[in-house]
Amino acid sequence: MILAHPMESSVPLILRQVIMAIILVLPVSVGSRATAATITPISVTASSEFSASQGAANLINGSGLSGSGPIQSQTHNNAGSATSMWHSNGSVVADSWLVFDLGAEFSLSGIDIWQMNQAGQLGRGIKTFAIYTSSNALGPITDFAGNFTLNQGGGTASEAAKNLPLSLSGVRRVKFVIANCWSGLASDYVGLSEVRFQGTGPALLVTSFKQSRFLVQSNEALLNSTTFNLAASGDITNGLFRIGDSPAVPVNLTSAQTVTAMAPDVSVSSVVLATVTVDGQVVASQSIVIQPVRHLTIYVLPHSHVDIGYTDLQNITIDKQVNNLVQGIQYAQQTAAYPPGARFIWNLEGTFPAELYLERFDAQARANFLAAVENGQVEVNGMYINALTGLCRPEELLRLFRHGTQLADLTGVPVESAMLSDVPDLTWGSVTAMAQAGIKYLSTGPNYFDRIGYVLQDWQNKPFYWLGPDGHSKVLVWMCFQGYGMAHIYGALGETVINDVMVSLEQAENPYDVAYIRWAGHGDNAVPEPEICDAVRDWNAQYAYPKLIISGTTEAFRALEQRHGDSLPVVTGDWTPPLGGWQWLVRTRNRNEPEELGPARTGRGSVCHGQPRRIFRHGLRCRVVQRFAIFRTHLGRMEQRQRAGQPVRVGSMGVQAELRD
């Protein structure tokens, strides 16, 4: 029976990106003469993968094999997590497939297959499958070679290979189309452990290569810096190696050599010719497949995470944040002559520091602030402070954004964005509150490793419109890479972080040509870092893509919306907090006891007007302090400690006053 197989165009985005990643690093073992040899494909792609750890690359990278001598004599392990094997995502078995690219045309005499050997899950091994082949590097794979059956894996730590004899010529790519697996289920996880091919063919010039994710500009052309591993080829000592018409690099192929050369920028997967010339004559050549590199713009948002009372005394933290605004304005002025995109911009994470700045300083300082906002050197993000919105009464939600509208009136510049940092969730009513305050965009940057549930896994690099409960209010929500603390992890802005951002976009199946990152310095309440201006200037001088732009929140989000707004998904519902248990209890008390806050609402310590510093300044007692301390995720533990009868003193969990009944 000939099995139907899926068209290449049906491959999801993430798999097309997996193709690019896998093709980069895998060697081909073949002699320089047309004698039978083991052929390791240069790439393998799959219809699906359970995760990167169980990716198709495991089929050709030797992971899990052990033993000495020829690879056919080696055995495979039985890892219980299948991290040395390929493992599908558990969808319809008959829709699963694998495609191997051998890198050149070969005459095949057999295939060595190590069956799926996951301990306790042997039913996931392939039972019956069809083989199709093609002589081309791209396009459909339609030449039917036959149906084949594999024995079930043995489950021991030393699974041997099974050889399937073949007699095929002119084969560049091989496709396995899976009919069923040993479990007999229509939908199940399915996999294999390792695959090698036997055959004869020409000597390969390129045994493997790795494209970078960056593009450089050379005259009128965009080029991709690519690392090539070249096989030995006779006595070529003074050759020139090039890809297509790109610049040549000198090579000496009396032994294997690794070189870095420029490959052309392509918009789709393309076959290009790699050549070696001596005295202008081509002496070796090979067709290779180059993958497109994303023309990406990454916006960089400098800010400081306002975390009052967790890392230092409140008065010290508040002074730091006010001084951060002073420095941010100074750095913006000092870098005003930098190239566009490399000039410093300071994002106020919340409006609280701006309120303090305007109260503390003289008319000239106030004028400096207003000018900086008007000139785009300071961006005001419209949430007063990082709040646990699930604890807020409706009025408190509205007042949370009131100061942003007041600053918009004062500066004449609309406040269209908000930031939420460290806190992993918002209540649904926040959408309506933001929309009524004129806020269109919300940058979320949760804690990157703790007390966040699966929020980063589910939403990082996946922008969406959040439709409010009223059915018409909406806000564009976009969670940044590694949350607000990315700079804590990397320390410096350079190739490592940019490459990791692009990998993260691929993993999230993000198709957009706009991304953003936050740069919040080294730790909470960190000082501004003008060094990023030099880093961005130097990066853009070296690379055409990805392009880096220092910006405010609104500029980044507006760029995404203008280019891709029509294709962004729309989401409804509450954003449930991972720490919801204690929040629900405290929220009930908070909403049922508004009278306790009555004096604070109308007096100098106006809770609902969002001025917690006055509460601390005027010494209001336990419950008022609780209501505002609990705005911070970290300070939720304060409630638990106080209810257990433990005093919470200065410096303990961030609360800078003893709580008493």
Side-chain angles (χ1 to χ4, degrees):
M1 178 178 67
I2 299 178
L3 303 178
H5 56 284
M7 300 295 291
E8 315 307 319
S9 60
S10 67
V11 181
L13 171 66
I14 184 62
L15 297 178
R16 296 198 300 271
Q17 293 165 336
V18 168
I19 292 171
M20 177 179 176
I22 295 174
I23 198 171
L24 307 183
V25 295
L26 306 171
V28 177
S29 303
V30 61
S32 60
R33 299 177 182 176
T35 56
T38 297
I39 306 163
T40 303
I42 64 169
S43 74
V44 57
T45 59
S47 54
S48 71
E49 297 177 338
F50 181 76
S51 76
S53 298
Q54 292 88 8
N58 289 337
L59 294 174
I60 58 176
N61 63 11
S63 61
L65 290 176
S66 62
S68 57
I71 193 169
Q72 293 84 359
S73 66
Q74 297 179 21
T75 58
H76 204 281
N77 66 24
N78 61 345
S81 59
T83 51
S84 57
M85 311 168 198
W86 165 66
H87 194 308
S88 76
N89 65 4
S91 55
V92 178
V93 173
D95 287 343
S96 302
W97 51 262
L98 295 163
V99 173
F100 301 88
D101 186 348
L102 308 184
E105 287 189 31
F106 289 87
S107 294
L108 297 183
S109 58
I111 307 176
D112 296 307
I113 299 177
W114 288 258
Q115 177 64 287
M116 180 73 174
N117 200 40
Q118 183 181 9
Q121 302 292 346
L122 300 180
R124 296 174 178 176
I126 295 174
K127 184 176 182 180
T128 306
F129 68 105
I131 292 180
Y132 296 82
T133 66
S134 171
S135 60
N136 299 316
L138 296 174
I141 304 174
T142 58
D143 295 337
F144 179 63
N147 292 312
F148 299 85
T149 299
L150 295 176
N151 295 329
Q152 190 172 14
T156 70
S158 55
E159 177 73 11
K162 176 177 180 178
N163 180 264
L164 300 180
L166 293 173
S167 181
L168 301 171
S169 60
V171 177
R172 167 68 187 258
R173 288 183 297 155
V174 179
K175 184 171 189 174
F176 294 179
V177 179
I178 300 166
N180 50 47
C181 62
W182 276 97
S183 72
L185 298 174
S187 295
D188 197 0
Y189 301 100
V190 64
L192 289 175
S193 293
E194 198 81 19
V195 177
R196 291 296 185 275
F197 295 84
Q198 299 295 320
T200 59
L204 291 181
L205 173 62
V206 179
T207 58
S208 67
F209 64 97
K210 182 176 182 179
Q211 292 178 244
S212 77
R213 290 179 169 86
F214 313 142
L215 294 171
V216 300
Q217 185 81 44
S218 177
N219 297 324
E220 300 299 319
L222 289 173
L223 300 173
N224 177 227
S225 178
T226 304
T227 302
F228 294 89
N229 292 318
L230 306 180
S233 182
D235 57 356
I236 299 175
T237 59
N238 61 341
L240 293 175
F241 173 76
R242 63 162 43 92
I243 304 298
D245 295 327
S246 299
V249 295
V251 291
N252 181 341
L253 297 185
T254 53
S255 61
Q257 184 177 356
T258 299
V259 298
T260 298
M262 293 298 179
D265 180 41
V266 296
S267 58
V268 296
S269 296
S270 301
V271 178
V272 296
L273 191 65
T275 61
V276 172
T277 59
V278 175
D279 296 331
Q281 299 296 315
V282 176
V283 297
S285 65
Q286 179 184 332
S287 294
I288 61 173
V289 179
I290 294 294
Q291 303 295 335
V293 175
R294 187 183 301 210
H295 292 196
L296 182 68
T297 299
I298 301 177
Y299 289 86
V300 182
L301 278 54
H303 73 106
S304 177
H305 173 38
V306 181
D307 202 333
I308 295 174
Y310 188 60
T311 58
D312 211 330
L313 298 178
Q314 287 176 332
N315 60 326
I316 294 176
T317 302
I318 289 170
D319 289 344
K320 285 182 179 179
Q321 288 295 346
V322 174
N323 191 55
N324 283 346
L325 177 52
V326 174
Q327 289 183 316
I329 294 172
Q330 293 173 347
Y331 295 148
Q333 294 170 343
Q334 293 169 6
T335 60
Y338 273 50
R343 299 163 186 167
F344 193 80
I345 293 175
W346 187 239
N347 284 274
L348 282 170
E349 187 180 80
T351 61
F352 181 39
E355 183 184 40
L356 293 173
Y357 176 99
L358 292 172
E359 287 186 357
R360 289 186 178 187
F361 295 117
D362 59 19
Q364 181 58 55
R366 290 167 60 91
N368 291 342
F369 171 77
L370 297 177
V373 173
E374 182 178 357
N375 295 333
Q377 296 171 324
V378 170
E379 165 114 6
V380 176
N381 288 278
M383 186 181 288
Y384 187 78
I385 204 79
N386 293 295
L388 291 182
T389 55
L391 304 183
C392 293
R393 293 164 51 81
E395 181 184 359
E396 292 169 327
L397 275 181
L398 294 172
R399 298 225 180 241
L400 190 60
F401 303 98
R402 173 57 178 149
H403 192 236
T405 62
Q406 292 172 330
L407 283 175
D409 293 340
L410 177 66
T411 63
V413 177
V415 174
E416 298 181 303
S417 298
M419 278 185 169
L420 182 67
S421 300
D422 212 355
V423 179
D425 60 84
L426 295 94
T427 189
W428 197 4
S430 303
V431 178
T432 304
M434 284 187 281
Q436 290 189 11
I439 291 174
K440 303 176 182 178
Y441 311 119
L442 175 65
S443 166
T444 60
N447 193 302
Y448 57 90
F449 74 97
D450 191 23
R451 292 160 289 174
I452 60 171
Y454 296 97
V455 67
L456 272 175
Q457 175 181 314
D458 292 342
W459 294 107
Q460 178 176 269
N461 290 322
K462 298 176 181 178
F464 61 93
Y465 283 114
W466 194 4
L467 188 66
D470 57 7
H472 61 82
S473 299
K474 69 176 183 179
V475 174
L476 173 54
V477 182
W478 195 0
M479 184 175 292
C480 55
F481 172 65
Q482 294 290 25
Y484 82 93
M486 189 199 71
H488 304 9
I489 303 170
Y490 290 93
L493 185 59
E495 287 192 7
T496 299
V497 60
I498 300 304
N499 185 76
D500 287 356
V501 169
M502 299 185 74
V503 171
S504 173
L505 293 171
E506 294 164 9
Q507 292 173 341
E509 299 186 43
N510 179 308
Y512 312 119
D513 58 3
V514 178
Y516 87 104
I517 57 176
R518 298 231 210 137
W519 196 263
H522 296 80
D524 295 344
N525 304 297
V527 299
E529 295 186 3
E531 296 84 1
I532 66 170
C533 297
D534 295 332
V536 170
R537 178 197 60 196
D538 296 344
W539 176 277
N540 290 336
Q542 181 176 0
Y543 296 109
Y545 290 103
K547 187 186 301 295
L548 304 186
I549 297 176
I550 298 174
S551 78
T553 310
T554 301
E555 181 182 352
F557 278 60
R558 184 175 292 141
L560 174 73
E561 186 171 51
Q562 289 175 345
R563 299 187 202 181
H564 305 291
D566 292 341
S567 62
L568 295 175
V570 177
V571 174
T572 60
D574 209 9
W575 204 333
T576 307
L579 302 179
W582 68 265
Q583 282 200 40
W584 285 113
L585 294 173
V586 177
R587 183 175 72 175
T588 300
R589 288 175 47 184
N590 192 53
R591 291 184 173 181
N592 291 342
E593 301 173 359
E595 291 78 10
E596 294 185 15
L597 305 181
R601 294 176 64 195
T602 57
R604 293 180 298 175
S606 175
V607 173
C608 290
H609 284 274
Q611 300 175 15
R613 74 194 189 288
R614 294 182 178 176
I615 293 173
F616 295 115
R617 180 184 303 166
H618 297 296
L620 297 184
R621 294 165 72 93
C622 172
R623 295 206 183 268
V624 177
V625 176
Q626 281 181 335
R627 293 299 180 266
F628 271 88
I630 261 179
F631 270 135
R632 297 294 300 114
T633 297
H634 304 306
L635 303 187
R637 295 178 182 173
M638 174 206 71
E639 173 83 3
Q640 297 168 340
R641 292 185 53 156
Q642 197 275 335
R643 281 170 35 190
Q646 302 174 24
V648 184
R649 301 180 183 278
V650 173
S652 174
M653 293 307 298
V655 182
Q656 306 309 318
E658 182 175 345
L659 303 182
R660 304 179 302 276
D661 289 326

